[in-house]
Amino acid sequence: MIEPQTLDHPKDLLLRKERIPHIWCPGCGLGSVLSALMDALGSSGLDLKKVAVVSGIGCTGRAAGYLNLDGFHTTHGRAIPYATGLKLANPDLTVIVFSGDGDLAAIGGNHLIHAARRNVDIKVICVNNFNYGMTGGQGGPTTPRLARTTTTGYGNPERPFNLIHLIAACGAPYVARWTSAHPHYMKIAMGEMLKKDGFSFLEVIAPCPTNFGRRNKMREIKLLQRFLEQAVLESQPDIAKADIELDSPILCGKFVDLERPSYLTALREVISAKVKVYDFRGDGRVPLEEAPVKPAAAKAPGKPAEVPAERPIIQRPVQIKLAGLGGQGIGLCGLIMGRAAAIFDHNQAVYTQEYSPEARGGASASSIIIASDKIHAPYVTEPDIMVVMAQGAYNKYQKDVRPGSRLIIDKDLVRPKDLPDSVQVQAIPATRLAEEIGQKVVANIVILGFFTALVPHISLTAMQKALKGSIPKGTEELNLRAFETGYDYGKKMQEEEAV
Amino acid sequence: MGKDVLTGTYFLTGNEACAAGALAAGCRFFAGYPITPSSEIAERMSIRLPQVGGVYIQMEDEIASMAAILGASWAGAKSMTATSGPGISLMLENIGLGVMTETPCVVVNVMRGGPSTGLPTLVGQADVMQARWGSHGDYEIIALSPSSPQEAFDYTIRAFNLAETWRVPVILLMDEVVGHMRERVVIPEKKDIKVANRRGPSEPPGKFKIFKSKKDLIPEMPVAGQGYAVHVTGLTHDERGYPAIEWEAQEKLVSRLVQKIRLNSDKIAAWEETGVEGAEIVLVSYGISTRICRAVREMAREKGLNLGLLRLEVIWPFPEKRVRELAGRIKAFLTVEINYGQIALEVERCAAGKCITRLVGHGGGTVHDPKKVFEAVEEIAS
C-alpha cells in the first residue's frame, strides 16, 4: 500500500502556517493578492529577513499577520507613518504597507498623500474592495457613486477618490492598478515595486462578495467576473480616465513609472555635504569620523572656565527687565547678560522672554534674575533695573517701573513720564552712538556696555566673554567697539557725577 | 562619534537642553509636528540629528509623528517626539499602541494652558491625568517632570533609560516655563552619562517567543530585520504576538502590562523631600511649581514655620506608599499645581482622610505667586 504523502507548498515558507485558516470569506480577493505578493517576494531575490509588512485595521490589515515576516498590525489608518519610521530607522529594510482602501484613503488619507509627496521608500499595496468589509460593509472613500452599502442604503451620493490620479498628483514615482483577477500582472507590478527606490503605490481592486457584492447584485463570483470582463488593460493608461463607476470599465496597468530621489536619497543630497556625514539612519548605526578633540575641551571638559577675580557676590536676587521693539536686539542683550552671569561669573541666572503673539512685532521684553545662591521663582515681578530702548516699549511696561529702582534708557528714543518716586534715570544716546560707529543695529550692544559700566552685578570680564561668544562671526570688531563706546560713556558719566 | 554629547557649560532653554539630553541618551530618530511651546525641541533636533547620522522628519501631524516613532523603535532606534496641548491629545491613540506593544520611546509634552487651543504661549500643568489615563484601556505608564533646564537635560536621559528598561512609552511632562527659560546647563562628559539599552533576545529565532516575559515581567525585544519574524499587533495577543481575542489572553497580557510598572514602582518612582521630617505641613509639587514651593519654604522659614516639600521627579507611578506614610504623621498636604486639582486628587486618595488635603491651583497662564501659596499655608497652620 502506498502511504499518502504530504508535500510542503513552496509558499508555506512565507506563511505562518499556525495561523491558517485565515479569517477571510469565501470569494474574497485578499487571498489572491497575498499569494501574488508571496510570489513576488519569492522571486525578488531579497533577503526576506529584511522585509517588513505593515498594515492598519480591517480584513486587509490581517495580512501582515499571516506572512512569516516581520509584521506590524498598527492602528486604523496609521500604517504609512509607522512604516515611515521603520524605513528611516533602518533603511536596509524593505517596507511594504498592505492595507485596505478605507484604512489608507479615509482615516489615513493625509498620511497617504504626504508619504507620496515626500517619496519615502515604502511600497503601498492598497486593496480596494469599495467598502469597510470587516466592520460590516459601510460606505467609504472609494465606494462608487450610487453603490449600496450599509450606510448608503439609497445609493452612494458621493464621488469616490480616483486613487491613481490622487497619488500620481502627489508625485509618487510608481503608480499601478490591477484587479485580484490578474494575479500575473499583480505579481509583475509588485516585483517592480520591490525594486523601486521610492514611494510606490499599487491599487488592487478586489471583490468583497459578503458585503459589497451582496448589496450590489454581484453575489459570490459575479463581482470577480465583472472585474475580468470590464478590466481594460492598457500599456500606457490615462490617469484621468481611471475613475471607477459602478458599471464602468476598470482601467488597469502601470500609470506612472519614473525616477525621483527617495526621501533618504534627497536627504543625503541636500544635507550630507553640509554636515560631512554621508549616511542617515534612525537606529544610529552610521559610522562617523571621530570628531577632533579641541584642546580647550580636553583641558577641562565639563567644567566651567575660571572664576573671575571680580566675581560679584549677590545676596538677594537682582531682577532686571529689558524692553524694546522687535528687531532692537533686546533678546540678544538679555542672553548675553544671562550667559555672562551664569557661565563666566559663576552666579545663577534665569532668563525668560515675554512671549505673546503680538510681541513678535511690537513691544517685547526679556527678563533676567541674577543671584549667587539658588533662584527659585523664575519670574521678574519687581524689577530692580529696567532697560528700555523704545517709547512704545516704555508705554507698555511703564507699570513695571517701581519706586527706588534704576531706569536705563536710550536718551533720544525714550521720554519717561509719570515716574514713581526716586527712580534713578540713566540715559545714553545709544542709537545715535551706534550710528556714529557705523550701524544702528548695535545700539543694544552700546546699551550693554553702558549697563556694564553702571551696574555692579555682572563683571566686565564676564560680559566681554559672553559678548564674544554670542555675536555672529565677522561682526566682532563692530560689536566690541559698540560695547566699549557704551562702557566709556557710562564710566565718564559716573566720574562726572562723582565730581 | 563625538558630536552627540557636547560636553561643556551652556546657557540653554529647557527645550534646547531636552534635545541635548535626547542625543546624549542615544536618540537618533525624531518625528514631530511644530506646536508652541515645544517647537524649539524639533528645531534643535532638525539641526543636530543629521550631524550624528540620525534622522529628523517633520510629519504631517502629531498622529503620524507618534506612529513613526513607534515604527522606528521597532527598527531598533531610540526615538522621540515632542508636542504640546492639542498635539498630545492627537498622539494618545498611538501612545496606547506603544503601551500594548511594549515599545520604548519618549514623548515630550511641553504643557501649555488648555482645554483646546487654550494658551499656546503660556504655562499649564493640566495634562497630568492625561499622561496617566489619556489613551483608552487599562495601563500603567511612566511620566517625569523637570523643573529647570538642567533637569530637562538630565530627565530626558532618564526618560530614555526608563523607556528602554521597562519597554513603555515614557512621557516627559515639561511645562512652558521650563521649556522656555534659560539657565546654566552642564553637559558632562560622555563617559559620565549612564545610558540604558533594551535587552535583546537571548535565544535564536525559532523557539523564541517575542512577548514571553522573564521574571521581571519584561520580555526581551528583537527588532525588525534580525530574522525573528516579529509579529506586533495592538490587538490582545499571546506570547508569540498573535492575536488572541479572548478574556484569558486579555487577563494575562493586560495584567502583566500593569504589573510590570506597579510591582516595580519602588524602582521607578522618584521624589525629592526637603524638610519633610518634623514638618506639620507638606507642600506637594512638580515641574515649575516646585520652584515656587521652594520660594514659599524660604518665606516660611523666615517666619519660623517648618514647611516640608515633597517634589515629584517621577509623577507616574505616584509615590503612593510614601504619601500614605506621611499622611499618618502630618497635619496637612498642600498640593501646588497649575490646574484645578489633578495630583491633588491623588494626594487626597492616598491620604485617605488621615490628614487635611488642600489644592492651591489655578487654570494656567502663569505660575503661582509665592505669597498666595504662603497665605494658604498660614491659613492651615493657624
Side-chain angles (χ1 to χ4, degrees):
Chain A
M1 201 177 140
I2 301 163
E3 289 288 316
Q5 285 187 338
T6 49
L7 292 173
D8 276 343
H9 192 281
K11 283 181 191 164
D12 282 357
L13 273 175
L14 268 166
L15 276 184
R16 294 182 198 269
K17 277 187 283 182
E18 64 274 30
R19 295 214 56 209
I20 305 299
H22 54 69
I23 64 163
W24 297 326
C25 306
C28 171
L30 279 165
S32 309
V33 191
L34 191 66
S35 187
L37 179 60
M38 287 192 283
D39 282 339
L41 282 169
S43 51
S44 67
L46 288 168
D47 175 1
L48 297 180
K49 285 178 189 158
K50 307 264 184 224
V51 176
V53 181
V54 189
S55 69
I57 297 297
C59 299
T60 314
R62 292 300 181 102
Y66 296 140
L67 289 167
N68 194 21
L69 300 166
D70 288 321
F72 300 90
H73 185 213
T74 68
T75 40
H76 193 35
R78 318 302 169 199
I80 285 178
Y82 199 101
T84 300
L86 269 166
K87 179 68 190 179
L88 299 184
N90 182 357
D92 301 340
L93 298 173
T94 298
V95 181
I96 301 166
V97 171
F98 193 104
S99 218
D101 51 305
D103 189 87
L104 291 169
I107 184 166
N110 200 31
H111 310 312
L112 179 65
I113 57 176
H114 283 280
R117 169 185 67 79
R118 208 175 261 142
N119 203 16
V120 188
D121 180 23
I122 54 178
K123 294 95 182 49
V124 179
I125 298 166
C126 173
V127 183
N128 179 2
N129 62 8
F130 305 126
N131 75 144
Y132 289 89
M134 187 181 271
T135 317
Q138 295 84 2
T142 56
T143 305
R145 233 171 55 82
L146 307 178
R148 286 174 186 251
T149 69
T150 52
T151 52
T152 58
Y154 305 108
N156 181 27
E158 292 181 22
R159 184 173 183 273
F161 265 132
N162 174 343
L163 288 177
I164 299 297
H165 206 163
L166 176 70
I167 304 308
C170 295
Y174 188 95
V175 182
R177 176 198 277 159
W178 291 103
T179 84
S180 65
H182 301 93
H184 179 65
Y185 292 116
M186 262 198 289
K187 182 190 154 184
I188 292 173
M190 289 167 179
E192 286 177 343
M193 289 165 83
L194 291 172
K195 284 201 188 93
K196 194 93 193 165
D197 177 30
F199 185 88
S200 38
F201 183 80
L202 170 66
E203 181 183 23
V204 179
I205 309 296
C208 173
T210 307
N211 281 313
F212 191 81
R214 180 157 53 102
R215 295 193 177 86
N216 291 283
K217 296 183 185 140
M218 285 178 273
R219 279 170 184 267
E220 288 144 18
I221 205 71
K222 277 193 186 153
L223 205 51
L224 196 65
Q225 250 172 346
R226 168 172 129 66
F227 295 161
L228 266 177
E229 287 159 9
Q230 289 185 277
V232 175
L233 282 51
E234 283 185 13
S235 62
Q236 282 181 312
D238 181 354
I239 288 168
K241 291 179 184 158
D243 277 314
I244 297 176
E245 298 278 347
L246 207 46
D247 298 313
S248 72
I250 299 169
L251 192 56
C252 291
K254 185 161 69 175
F255 293 82
V256 179
D257 190 358
L258 48 87
E259 296 301 318
R260 221 187 105 204
S262 70
Y263 183 83
L264 277 171
T265 307
L267 205 61
R268 283 189 285 264
E269 281 176 9
V270 176
I271 298 178
S272 278
K274 290 171 189 155
V275 294
K276 298 192 173 54
V277 174
Y278 299 93
D279 198 11
F280 304 106
R281 44 190 295 158
D283 62 6
R285 288 191 287 144
V286 173
L288 295 173
E289 284 172 33
E290 203 61 40
V293 181
K294 288 179 197 155
K299 210 163 62 189
K303 286 183 192 120
E306 279 172 36
V307 184
E310 74 268 34
R311 177 201 178 202
I313 302 296
I314 307 160
Q315 301 297 356
R316 193 184 67 80
V318 175
Q319 300 189 0
I320 304 161
K321 186 159 188 164
L322 313 166
L325 296 178
Q328 280 189 310
I330 281 297
L332 178 65
C333 208
L335 193 63
I336 295 168
M337 287 185 190
R339 276 193 187 133
I343 296 177
F344 300 105
D345 272 342
H346 293 246
N347 281 319
Q348 300 288 330
V350 173
Y351 170 92
T352 52
Q353 268 181 299
E354 254 184 54
Y355 184 58
S356 63
E358 45 98 29
R360 300 279 167 96
S364 66
S366 57
S367 302
I368 303 116
I369 308 172
I370 306 172
S372 295
D373 204 3
K374 276 187 179 140
I375 299 164
H376 299 311
Y379 276 161
V380 165
T381 47
E382 295 174 332
D384 300 286
I385 304 159
M386 292 249 326
V387 179
V388 184
M389 284 185 68
Q391 189 64 35
Y394 182 81
N395 296 344
K396 183 172 176 185
Y397 297 107
Q398 188 188 352
K399 60 183 186 327
D400 296 334
V401 182
R402 64 182 187 93
S405 67
R406 190 199 289 250
L407 178 65
I408 295 173
I409 53 169
D410 187 313
K411 204 183 228 170
D412 298 336
L413 302 182
V414 183
R415 294 264 174 278
K417 53 185 180 190
D418 306 326
L419 279 172
D421 294 341
S422 62
V423 171
Q424 187 190 3
V425 179
Q426 293 174 313
I428 175 170
T431 307
R432 194 169 5 121
L433 291 172
E435 276 167 350
E436 281 167 20
I437 295 166
Q439 279 201 39
K440 85 174 178 186
V441 289
V442 291
N444 61 336
I445 306 299
V446 175
I447 285 227
L448 190 73
F450 185 60
F451 178 98
T452 311
L454 303 178
V455 176
H457 309 302
I458 304 173
S459 73
L460 173 63
T461 317
M463 208 68 114
Q464 284 167 329
K465 283 184 183 168
L467 175 67
K468 270 184 207 159
S470 306
I471 50 177
K473 273 188 187 146
T475 68
E476 292 92 344
E477 205 188 324
L478 177 69
N479 277 293
L480 283 175
R481 258 177 56 216
F483 184 83
E484 276 163 22
T485 305
Y487 187 81
D488 293 346
Y489 192 96
K491 281 291 168 200
K492 212 170 133 198
M493 202 175 86
Q494 268 182 332
E495 280 162 23
E496 281 165 11
E497 276 171 11
V499 174
Chain B
M1 295 293 184
K3 277 188 178 170
D4 53 346
V5 180
L6 299 178
T7 303
T9 306
Y10 302 90
F11 194 56
L12 299 181
T13 64
N15 282 347
E16 289 167 347
C18 172
L23 263 89
C27 174
R28 294 293 179 272
F29 183 83
F30 183 98
Y33 187 81
I35 187 167
T36 304
S38 76
S39 296
E40 295 85 0
I41 299 175
E43 288 164 10
R44 189 75 190 136
M45 292 304 264
S46 76
I47 298 295
R48 290 283 287 128
L49 275 172
Q51 296 173 353
V52 295
V55 177
Y56 164 89
I57 184 167
Q58 186 160 315
M59 298 299 287
E60 50 276 14
D61 57 33
E62 289 86 348
I63 301 174
S65 306
M66 189 61 216
I69 70 164
L70 294 179
S73 183
W74 275 100
K78 284 191 182 179
S79 61
M80 177 168 103
T81 187
T83 190
S84 302
I88 194 74
S89 300
L90 288 177
M91 286 180 182
L92 285 168
E93 186 197 14
N94 281 324
I95 289 176
L97 177 64
V99 170
M100 193 62 153
T101 55
E102 299 177 73
T103 309
C105 59
V106 173
V107 179
V108 185
N109 177 3
V110 187
M111 290 183 285
R112 64 192 226 184
S116 191
T117 315
L119 302 168
T121 59
L122 300 176
V123 70
Q125 286 186 323
D127 303 344
V128 174
M129 274 298 166
Q130 196 202 29
R132 171 90 171 82
W133 297 117
S135 199
H136 54 279
D138 208 358
Y139 63 92
E140 291 281 338
I141 206 157
I142 300 174
L144 297 92
S145 183
S147 69
S148 67
Q150 180 68 53
E151 285 180 358
F153 175 84
D154 297 338
Y155 287 20
T156 304
I157 297 173
R158 208 162 154 183
F160 273 99
N161 291 349
L162 287 165
E164 294 287 320
T165 305
W166 303 101
R167 282 191 64 181
V168 67
V170 171
I171 296 172
L172 188 75
L173 275 176
M174 295 228 282
D175 49 61
E176 184 274 332
V177 179
V178 174
H180 281 157
M181 68 189 278
R182 277 180 193 275
E183 264 183 330
R184 181 165 60 216
V185 174
V186 178
I187 299 181
E189 279 191 82
K190 192 167 177 172
K191 66 174 172 55
D192 296 327
I193 296 171
K194 267 193 204 158
V195 169
N197 294 308
R198 66 190 73 168
R199 195 168 50 191
S202 55
E203 288 170 273
K207 284 183 181 170
F208 182 74
K209 290 180 180 166
I210 69 160
F211 286 99
K212 185 173 172 160
S213 66
K214 302 271 169 174
K215 270 187 192 158
D216 61 4
L217 305 177
I218 317 289
E220 293 168 346
M221 185 172 176
V223 297
Q226 285 183 323
Y228 282 84
V230 297
H231 187 246
V232 178
T233 175
L235 286 168
T236 295
H237 46 269
D238 61 19
E239 290 177 339
R240 295 170 300 178
Y242 295 173
I245 311 302
E246 53 217 19
W247 74 265
E248 293 94 337
Q250 173 80 353
E251 187 55 34
K252 194 171 174 192
L253 174 62
V254 179
S255 76
R256 184 173 62 74
L257 295 180
V258 168
Q259 296 299 10
K260 76 173 176 182
I261 305 295
R262 277 196 195 165
L263 295 180
N264 291 301
S265 70
D266 285 350
K267 291 179 194 158
I268 305 168
W271 64 93
E272 180 190 298
E273 290 181 8
T274 324
V276 167
E277 294 305 324
E280 274 210 316
I281 300 171
V282 172
L283 300 175
V284 181
S285 71
Y286 50 90
I288 194 62
S289 302
T290 298
R291 299 174 67 130
I292 304 302
C293 288
R294 288 196 185 120
V296 176
R297 266 198 86 237
E298 289 195 355
M299 293 167 83
R301 199 164 50 190
E302 278 168 23
K303 298 219 173 170
L305 185 68
N306 188 2
L307 186 63
L309 173 60
L310 177 77
R311 175 273 161 104
L312 307 174
E313 295 176 10
V314 170
I315 298 184
W316 307 117
F318 187 74
E320 192 162 330
K321 219 191 285 175
R322 184 57 179 157
V323 172
R324 283 187 201 286
E325 275 168 17
L326 288 174
R329 286 196 253 153
I330 63 171
K331 184 177 174 187
F333 276 121
L334 211 74
T335 306
V336 181
E337 55 185 338
I338 308 173
N339 61 55
Y340 286 113
Q342 299 200 4
I343 285 297
L345 285 178
E346 199 67 5
V347 172
E348 191 179 318
R349 180 179 73 79
C350 297
K354 285 189 275 179
C355 71
I356 301 169
T357 52
R358 286 262 196 293
L359 161 74
V360 185
H362 64 256
T366 181
V367 296
H368 287 81
D369 180 346
K371 286 179 210 144
K372 292 268 169 61
V373 181
F374 187 62
E375 278 168 24
V377 171
E378 280 183 315
E379 200 182 300
I380 293 183
S382 61

